[in-house]
Amino acid sequence: MIAQEKKPIEEILGYLEGKKKVVVMGCGGCATFYHTGDTKAVNAMAETLTKEGKDVFKMPLPFSIQACDIEKSGVWLEKNRKELENRDAVLVLSCGDGVQVVTEYMDEKMEITKAVIPGNDALGLVGGGPKKFKETCQSCGMCELGKTAGICPLTSCGKGLMNGPCGGVREGDKCEIDEEKDCAWVKIYKRMEKLGEVEKFEQMLDPHEWSKMKRPRLFEIEEPIGMDVIGAMKGMMTVKFGPKPKLDE
Amino acid sequence: MGDEVYSDLMRELKTGKYVFTGELEPEKAGDVNEPIEMARELKGMVVACNVTDNPQSFAYVNSMAASYLIQKEAGMECVYQLRCSDRNRMALLSDVLGAGALGLKNVLALAGDHVSLGDTPDAKPVFDLDSTTLIKLIRTMVDEGKDLGGNEIHNPPKLHVGGAAAPGAAHLKAEVGKVKRKINVGVEYLQTQVVYYTDVLDKFFDELGKVDVPILVGIFPARTFGQADFFDKYVAGVDVPPDYLEAMKKTKEIKDKEKKKEEVDRVNIEFFTGFLEHLKGTPAAGCHMMAVGYPRIIPPLKKLME
Ligand code: SF4
Ligand code: SF4
């Protein structure tokens, strides 16, 4: 998931200066998870902006409809074409990806060019939960986990060293840069020790190949996932969260 | 490892002589006059001086430029410190070629501190290579005349590459594993982080076992209480003994400048007598004296090693 937090309202109001009629668009994906773009967040933002004298049109997206998944979120944009045409700005409560996908779709597919404003700050790919999350992968395009006992040296080490630890490990095996965090390289050592492969630790790892990080990266898949799959997913969820089936049935 | 010897430091290390190196710190200034002055004073006391590269990620005069000027003006051989921090592999390669072209003979490959710890914390952090891969790059450049991409280097640089070790590391086994990695890729000498405790040193040498690479142990006789206190508080992996800190603190109360100097020297000599005596019995090939701005302490400390 893409972790995110809300931008300070002062910053958003700055971008909206001179723009009276505003669409507030939500996101049913990660932004719903982090309460930065769910229906509640859309309502709260609409309320704040109304108090600030804006004329607001709310456009929340249902759960599982992600702003960045434009084939689906585009349906909501098309449905509200009239509103979008008449507005001064669209405030998107998603990560920066959602914001830009919406911008491009409106520009190129709908031929509606409006100021599109980010409501959140994206903080990276994270895992964990339900309350605490951790960034462990930066999607570098050339995974090294097979060499480092399953701990990413590029992301979990504060310096992203392929050969650590650096000389700065703190008391309690904490990172030089931030004593709240564990030193990734000591963790790698300890896991290798448990896996009985500590001799690997003395071998140099080659410098990481960054060529797959040539930005922006473009990507294509053979079989796109369509609306029918989303429908099926919803069916699955009812089963999962519904009453437990009796074992003897 | 090639057998060629390019520097006085390497020559002394190869002959098995007990080696002393010093340390110079370029500052945030438009000149290197002070380190040049210090280098002049240190001449004859140490075989070479490390020239620091933006320590703690505070931006100072570029260490290559400083090393070149110090060698030229003071005739002091330099150990050009080169951090991976803030330079990608292309910039590092280009810097090493530059160092060779300027006649620098020793380079110390370091990872370096993160920018967030220094005086430009909003800079984009860069760590492309690490100390081990930088050592490997330099050895490949010098020995094979090639860069990491296998491209030929015309008239390859002639310099020796050293690395660092941290005997007081919080996790000694992981630290030693990393030091062995540096040895595996051909590091030619090691200089350690500052050590104040003999048992820290002994544990490090025990864990490391016998190695062929000469090791210079880092000591830091402080010129002022502030310097010692800074090391204790802010330098990871270094614990300064409370007795020594206390004795240094007391010197702050002495009003008379000369008397204060004498007392500071006395405290250092008293503390290091035991330490250096112990050092003689370890596998260390020498001593890296990080007595920054404090050259007068080096002769009496060297004397203790005789
Ligand atoms: S090496 Fe790290 S950043 Fe790259 S894909 Fe693997 S986990 Fe992600
Ligand atoms: S302390 Fe460990 S995690 Fe932190 S920068 Fe150094 S090697 Fe990386």
Side-chain angles (χ1 to χ4, degrees):
Chain A
M1 278 172 295
I2 313 290
Q4 46 199 278
E5 56 189 20
K6 293 177 183 172
K7 272 191 178 296
I9 187 67
E10 299 74 27
E11 186 186 338
I12 294 175
L13 288 173
Y15 298 133
L16 288 175
E17 214 177 284
K19 297 180 173 69
K20 174 114 175 87
K21 298 169 85 183
V22 180
V23 174
V24 177
M25 179 176 176
C27 167
C30 310
T32 287
F33 217 91
Y34 294 100
H35 306 300
T36 50
D38 55 354
T39 306
K40 237 168 116 183
V42 170
N43 288 338
M45 179 59 77
E47 202 177 303
T48 309
L49 295 182
T50 307
K51 275 191 199 141
E52 293 290 333
K54 307 286 180 196
D55 170 1
V56 180
F57 176 75
K58 295 189 277 186
M59 210 174 100
L61 295 187
F63 180 65
S64 89
I65 302 296
Q66 299 158 293
C68 62
D69 185 3
I70 201 65
E71 200 212 346
K72 287 130 209 152
S73 59
V75 173
W76 272 261
L77 291 169
E78 297 286 2
K79 219 168 67 183
N80 295 296
R81 172 179 273 279
K82 278 253 137 48
E83 283 296 339
L84 290 164
E85 274 169 351
N86 291 323
R87 298 275 150 177
D88 303 320
V90 184
L91 172 63
V92 187
L93 304 185
S94 71
C95 69
D97 190 28
V99 177
Q100 296 180 76
V101 167
V102 167
T103 308
E104 194 173 298
Y105 186 83
M106 283 177 60
D107 275 359
E108 290 173 15
K109 289 276 163 43
M110 301 174 78
E111 294 185 350
I112 304 173
T113 296
K114 297 286 171 185
V116 179
I117 286 149
N120 299 326
D121 289 315
L123 300 169
L125 200 61
V126 296
K131 282 187 81 153
K132 288 190 174 164
F133 298 85
K134 188 158 78 175
E135 184 184 25
T136 53
C137 170
Q138 52 181 291
S139 320
C140 73
M142 175 71 213
C143 195
E144 305 276 10
L145 291 175
K147 303 174 194 163
T148 54
I151 294 165
C152 176
L154 304 174
T155 314
S156 297
C157 162
K159 297 178 185 168
L161 303 176
M162 280 301 290
N163 291 279
C166 70
V169 186
R170 293 168 188 256
E171 218 39 57
D173 302 332
K174 297 292 178 187
C175 175
E176 172 189 83
I177 300 162
D178 185 343
E179 55 194 333
E180 303 278 299
K181 296 170 188 163
D182 296 323
C183 168
W185 273 98
V186 171
K187 281 175 90 173
I188 292 172
Y189 182 89
K190 287 178 180 168
R191 279 211 89 222
M192 282 187 174
E193 211 173 25
K194 280 192 189 151
L195 292 167
E197 49 187 43
V198 78
E199 70 288 345
K200 269 196 190 170
F201 198 80
E202 292 177 17
Q203 302 309 315
M204 184 191 88
L205 298 181
D206 285 334
H208 181 72
E209 282 177 41
W210 287 104
S211 48
K212 287 217 180 149
M213 268 292 231
K214 229 185 272 160
R215 282 176 160 152
R217 290 179 279 180
L218 304 172
F219 185 69
E220 211 175 306
I221 51 170
E222 301 244 311
E223 277 184 57
I225 172 173
M227 279 305 241
D228 49 333
V229 182
I230 296 284
M233 260 166 59
K234 281 194 180 142
M236 271 159 53
M237 291 215 220
T238 328
V239 174
K240 200 162 172 204
F241 296 122
K244 275 190 191 156
K246 285 202 185 99
L247 285 176
D248 53 355
E249 265 174 16
Chain B
M1 200 185 292
D3 287 329
E4 292 82 357
V5 175
Y6 307 120
S7 71
D8 291 344
L9 171 64
M10 193 44 67
R11 197 161 299 118
E12 286 204 358
L13 286 170
K14 290 228 173 190
T15 55
K17 195 174 162 188
Y18 205 83
V19 170
F20 293 92
T21 49
E23 184 142 312
L24 298 167
E25 269 187 23
E27 292 176 344
K28 205 182 281 289
D31 63 66
V32 254
N33 295 340
E34 227 183 282
I36 289 173
E37 230 10 81
M38 282 294 143
R40 288 198 176 114
E41 287 195 47
L42 285 167
K43 265 201 95 173
M45 298 181 191
V46 292
V47 62
C49 274
N50 286 32
V51 178
T52 55
D53 174 16
N54 300 331
Q56 264 87 32
S57 276
F58 280 65
Y60 299 134
V61 175
N62 172 288
S63 58
M64 189 201 310
S67 299
Y68 169 72
L69 288 169
I70 292 164
Q71 277 198 184
K72 185 166 167 261
E73 301 292 325
M76 167 65 76
E77 182 170 297
C78 289
V79 177
Y80 159 47
Q81 294 197 355
L82 178 60
R83 308 178 318 147
C84 295
S85 183
D86 315 319
R87 299 172 178 98
N88 69 8
R89 65 193 75 172
M90 208 201 99
L92 288 166
L93 201 150
S94 163
D95 280 359
V96 173
L97 290 176
L102 288 175
L104 303 182
K105 299 295 177 205
N106 311 290
V107 51
L108 185 72
L110 302 169
D113 295 307
H114 194 272
V115 280
S116 63
L117 304 178
D119 61 356
T120 51
D122 287 334
K124 182 172 184 175
V126 176
F127 286 96
D128 186 16
L129 298 190
D130 48 73
S131 48
T132 310
T133 44
L134 177 57
I135 291 165
K136 170 85 178 166
L137 167 68
I138 297 172
R139 287 305 311 257
T140 311
M141 290 171 77
V142 174
D143 297 348
E144 296 168 33
K146 295 210 167 97
D147 66 14
L148 285 177
N151 305 301
E152 293 274 339
I153 297 168
H154 172 67
N155 193 10
K158 293 181 172 56
L159 33 79
H160 296 288
V161 58
H171 197 287
L172 187 59
K173 285 193 164 169
E175 172 64 20
V176 164
K178 178 198 66 182
V179 171
K180 288 194 175 158
R181 218 185 278 143
K182 293 183 185 181
I183 295 173
N184 285 338
V185 301
V187 76
E188 292 169 273
Y189 60 94
L190 291 163
Q191 286 177 314
T192 78
Q193 177 57 287
V194 171
V195 192
Y196 282 98
Y197 288 99
T198 52
D199 61 332
V200 166
L201 201 56
D202 291 346
K203 274 194 206 131
F204 171 71
F205 280 122
D206 277 355
E207 188 64 42
L208 186 64
K210 198 178 149 22
V211 294
D212 284 335
V213 175
I215 300 173
L216 305 176
V217 170
I219 66 161
F220 188 86
R223 186 171 43 104
T224 60
F225 167 71
Q227 275 189 337
D229 195 45
F230 179 87
F231 252 81
D232 192 48
K233 286 204 178 103
Y234 301 110
V235 182
V238 180
D239 277 330
V240 182
D243 292 356
Y244 175 74
L245 268 180
E246 196 49 44
M248 284 300 288
K249 197 173 184 177
K250 282 208 182 112
T251 63
K252 282 197 347 180
E253 290 156 19
I254 305 169
K255 294 272 177 312
D256 183 275
K257 268 195 173 166
E258 280 312 307
K259 287 215 172 97
K260 190 184 204 158
K261 275 185 176 176
E262 275 171 29
E263 180 58 10
V264 167
D265 292 359
R266 194 197 60 77
V267 169
N268 275 308
I269 291 165
E270 186 178 295
F271 176 81
F272 283 104
T273 302
F275 185 90
L276 293 175
E277 189 57 44
H278 187 87
L279 189 60
K280 281 190 214 166
T282 69
C287 188
H288 177 53
M289 299 199 165
M290 287 185 233
V292 176
Y294 189 21
R296 69 169 187 276
I297 198 66
I298 292 182
L301 292 184
K302 271 181 78 176
K303 204 153 188 260
L304 291 171
M305 297 298 288
E306 279 166 8

